[in-house]
Amino acid sequence: MKLRLATLALCAVATTAATSTAFAQQGPKPEDQIRYRQSIMNVMGRQFGMLAGMAKGDVPYNKDAAVKAAGLVDTLSTLPGPLFGPGLDKGAPTKASEKVWSEPEKFKAAYEKMQAEVKKLPAAAGDLATLKAAAGEVGKTCKGCHDDYREKEFRN
Ligand code: HEC
């Protein structure tokens, strides 16, 4: 009897440990991760779009707004990297090409190129002439990756 109780207690401990480990490893579901990465790209796209508009003269230049948007793009650009990791190629409709997962090194290089240019944005945004130059360089890196790794249509 004593032995049985001890065994039961041990089983309970083991079950609890297994459950919590599984939970810790699971994290957010792939579909949530995919939606999260798209949300970040969307906010980054909106903020960068405003800067590109100012650079082109479509939107009146405003120093405070430009510096704020540049800081946001800089911060947001650090987030999507891990959201293109293993297992996040499907689970929700996505425009990310399967090449992201078949050429991870090249994709990473495109991502790092973007980050290197985006880092220069906050300092450049304080003046229209420097913003024009910096936004042009950033825009090339966004487009470069989208041309290679973003599909026109959503896939599952
Ligand atoms: C290293 C590659 C890469 C770089 C660099 C990159 N993107 Fe993207 N972007 C993607 C991929 C892949 C998707 C599609 C994500 C998905 O649908 O899951 C995407 C999607 C988007 C979307 C659409 C989101 C949606 O829900 O349809 C916008 C907007 C966007 N990116 C803006 C930008 C801007 C602005 C930059 C530059 C500052 C940038 N991206 C840099 C790869 C990149």
Side-chain angles (χ1 to χ4, degrees):
M1 185 63 189
K2 249 189 193 160
L3 195 75
R4 246 193 92 206
L5 268 179
T7 314
L8 274 177
L10 266 177
C11 282
V13 171
T15 313
T16 315
T19 316
S20 53
T21 312
F23 185 75
Q25 278 169 355
Q26 247 169 23
K29 285 185 276 179
E31 68 174 287
D32 293 332
Q33 297 284 63
I34 291 170
R35 290 206 185 101
Y36 181 46
R37 91 178 163 225
Q38 292 165 343
S39 307
I40 294 162
M41 283 282 182
N42 264 316
V43 182
M44 201 164 81
R46 184 71 71 92
Q47 296 296 320
F48 182 66
M50 187 171 65
L51 291 172
M54 287 182 192
K56 279 191 225 150
D58 297 342
V59 179
Y61 175 71
N62 175 297
K63 186 180 167 173
D64 291 343
V67 170
K68 184 179 175 191
L72 282 168
V73 173
D74 184 24
T75 304
L76 291 167
S77 76
T78 63
L79 299 177
L83 302 169
F84 288 103
L88 300 179
D89 52 336
K90 42 177 132 10
T94 176
K95 287 184 185 167
S97 157
E98 279 163 0
K99 285 201 295 174
V100 171
W101 290 271
S102 63
E103 313 178 337
E105 290 306 316
K106 277 199 200 163
F107 180 78
K108 190 165 170 257
Y111 188 80
E112 285 170 357
K113 220 164 147 187
M114 178 267 290
Q115 286 199 292
E117 293 305 328
V118 162
K119 274 201 181 76
K120 302 177 194 163
L121 262 187
D127 174 83
L128 183 56
T130 50
L131 171 64
K132 276 185 184 170
E137 292 307 311
V138 171
K140 279 188 220 162
T141 67
C142 309
K143 185 176 184 301
C145 186
H146 291 162
D147 285 351
D148 291 342
Y149 296 104
R150 189 174 67 165
E151 306 284 342
K152 300 266 179 292
E153 306 291 335
F154 282 102
R155 62 171 184 87
N156 247 315

